[in-house]
Amino acid sequence: MKKKLPLSTVRLINLVITMIIIAFCFVASALGDDHFGLTISIAVILLVIDIGFMLIFWRCPYCGKLLQFTGPIEHCGHCGKKLD
C-alpha cells in the first residue's frame, strides 16, 4: 500500500507553493517589462504543479476520494469519516 501524506502536510506544502507564487508575482511587477514574461512563466508553472499536487494528495485517507477545496473540512463528504 502506498504511504500517504498527512493532510496537515499537504496543507503546508500547498501554502508554501502559494506563497512562492505570490512572491514571484510581486517580483514580476517590481522588475518591469525586462523579466516579466519569464517571472510570470515560472509562476504559472508553479501553479500547475500546485494544482497537480493537490489533485493527487488532497484525498480522504479512508476512502481515497478527492476532498472539497473550500472552507474548513472536518469530515469527508463521501464516506463521512472524521479527518485529522
Side-chain angles (χ1 to χ4, degrees):
M1 187 170 163
K2 290 191 307 188
K3 183 169 170 90
K4 297 178 182 178
L5 288 174
L7 290 178
S8 58
T9 303
V10 174
R11 285 184 186 129
L12 180 63
I13 292 170
N14 174 257
L15 178 66
V16 168
I17 293 173
T18 302
M19 297 306 280
I20 292 170
I21 292 169
I22 291 170
F24 266 102
C25 291
F26 278 118
V27 168
S29 66
L31 289 176
D33 293 337
D34 294 341
H35 299 92
F36 184 78
L38 175 64
T39 312
I40 291 299
S41 298
I42 293 171
V44 168
I45 290 169
L46 287 172
L47 180 63
V48 170
I49 289 170
D50 189 36
I51 291 170
F53 175 79
M54 291 301 286
L55 288 174
I56 292 170
F57 291 104
W58 191 243
R59 297 188 173 270
C60 173
Y62 303 104
C63 68
K65 293 191 178 177
L66 195 62
L67 296 170
Q68 69 184 28
F69 287 101
T70 57
I73 56 170
E74 294 181 11
H75 297 84
C76 174
H78 302 285
C79 70
K81 294 203 177 176
K82 186 167 174 55
L83 303 171
D84 59 1

